[in-house]
Amino acid sequence: MYPRPIPESAIWQRRLYVSAVVLVLILWLCPLFAIILTSFRSTADVMGGNLWGWPTEIGLIDNYRAVFTDTPMARYFLNSLIITIPSVIGVLVLSTLAGFVLSRYRFPGNMLIFALFVGGNFLPHQIMMIPVRDLMVRLDLIDTTVALIIFHVAFQTGFATLFMRNFIAALPDELFQAARAEGASPFQTLIHVVIPLVRPALAALAILIFTFVWNDYFWAVVLTVSDSVKPVTAGLANLRGEWVSAWNLVSAGTIIVAVPPVVMFFLMQRHFIAGLTMGAVKG
């Protein structure tokens, strides 16, 4: 039996869909391609006004080396790590504890507390700029990495708690009943039952929080002043002001700043996808 021929209209429909996807992909990647191309340009090209054409000289090694040797980017990069890593760990710990309690224990005010976590996600953080900055000034924490860590842990924990609460609530009740029958305490149940099962969710959440904190610019500008504590996002703005004509260095710095979230995603890609799809299909 011969296969049925594909109708001409279906072929043209498929081509139209593929063309649309390719067009969207090109438009999405154009800014990234332009930045990468500019990071390759030599200083002579930039000074000569060749910002959009194909580079006449390639200054790849010189540009990326100059970002670390001629600018404070290494300091900014280290500051971002100092801010981001403790923030991610703090958010994961607090959200897992809160999600476990809110999903598995019934007590007066349970739903009210959960509603506060949900409602906090819809509150624009920018409207609290003045109170937050005033609080950090009163605590003598302004212009410190501690201020940014406290802020990110406080404001990211709401979303993370909602995320973890839903994952933990989806776990079978039989597991918790078996743990109680074995005499396990709530903390032992959390460590030995919950965390191994929600590891993909923790990996997905870690990537999201890492990206949010690493890419934050608004609060990096509001809560820091000196170069000694600024993260990479605020540092790039300073770099542009200090090297107003050296767009090749600014572009190289931008690519360097974008590398850690991308590397973290690819290293944890399997866990990230498993965390997002966990519970979507039931056996």
Side-chain angles (χ1 to χ4, degrees):
M1 187 174 180
Y2 296 101
R4 296 177 59 185
I6 301 176
E8 189 70 20
S9 60
I11 294 176
W12 279 105
Q13 232 177 17
R14 186 181 301 173
R15 290 176 179 174
L16 181 62
Y17 292 154
V18 172
S19 300
V21 170
V22 171
L23 179 61
V24 170
L25 186 62
I26 291 174
L27 292 175
W28 182 53
L29 292 178
C30 268
L32 178 62
F33 178 75
I35 293 173
I36 293 174
L37 195 62
T38 303
S39 72
F40 292 169
R41 300 182 192 279
S42 65
T43 303
D45 258 4
V46 175
M47 297 301 291
N50 182 18
L51 297 177
W52 300 105
W54 193 259
T56 58
E57 298 179 22
I58 300 297
L60 176 62
I61 297 177
D62 292 337
N63 291 344
Y64 283 87
R65 183 176 62 237
V67 167
F68 286 104
T69 58
D70 299 341
T71 73
M73 185 54 67
R75 179 71 249 182
Y76 300 147
F77 200 91
L78 179 60
N79 290 340
S80 282
L81 291 176
I82 293 173
I83 293 166
T84 305
I85 293 175
S87 298
V88 172
I89 295 173
V91 170
L92 291 180
V93 171
L94 292 177
S95 63
T96 302
L97 292 172
F100 175 64
V101 171
L102 291 174
S103 64
R104 289 296 160 183
Y105 294 94
R106 297 293 177 261
F107 53 88
N110 179 297
M111 293 307 299
L112 176 61
I113 295 175
F114 181 62
L116 290 175
F117 278 112
V118 175
N121 293 318
F122 298 99
L123 184 65
H125 297 171
Q126 291 80 3
I127 66 174
M128 291 177 280
M129 177 185 70
I130 295 177
V132 169
R133 183 177 174 84
D134 183 62
L135 176 64
M136 292 304 168
V137 170
R138 291 176 181 272
L139 295 176
D140 198 24
L141 292 175
I142 194 70
D143 198 28
T144 64
T145 56
V146 176
L148 284 170
I149 293 172
I150 292 174
F151 170 82
H152 287 305
V153 170
F155 281 82
Q156 297 296 339
T157 298
F159 162 75
T161 298
L162 171 64
F163 190 89
M164 292 306 301
R165 187 259 184 193
N166 291 338
F167 274 101
I168 297 174
L171 297 177
D173 291 332
E174 291 78 6
L175 294 174
F176 297 92
Q177 293 172 4
R180 284 195 294 268
E182 293 292 332
S185 66
F187 185 74
Q188 290 173 328
T189 303
L190 174 65
I191 297 298
H192 299 291
V193 176
V194 174
I195 291 181
L197 292 174
V198 298
R199 193 173 299 164
L202 288 172
L205 186 61
I207 294 174
L208 292 175
I209 299 301
F210 185 95
T211 304
F212 293 158
V213 176
W214 184 272
N215 292 333
D216 172 70
Y217 173 73
F218 182 81
W219 292 104
V221 174
V222 170
L223 297 179
T224 63
V225 178
S226 59
D227 287 347
S228 60
V229 296
K230 282 185 177 178
V232 288
T233 47
L236 274 177
N238 280 7
L239 198 66
R240 187 189 55 158
E242 188 175 348
W243 304 88
V244 66
S245 299
W247 291 109
N248 51 340
L249 298 186
V250 176
S251 298
T254 302
I255 298 300
I256 292 171
V257 169
V259 166
V262 174
V263 170
M264 185 174 181
F265 172 78
F266 280 108
L267 289 177
M268 304 181 70
Q269 182 179 12
R270 179 170 60 88
H271 299 290
F272 179 74
I273 295 174
L276 294 182
T277 59
M278 196 169 91
V281 179
K282 293 185 178 180

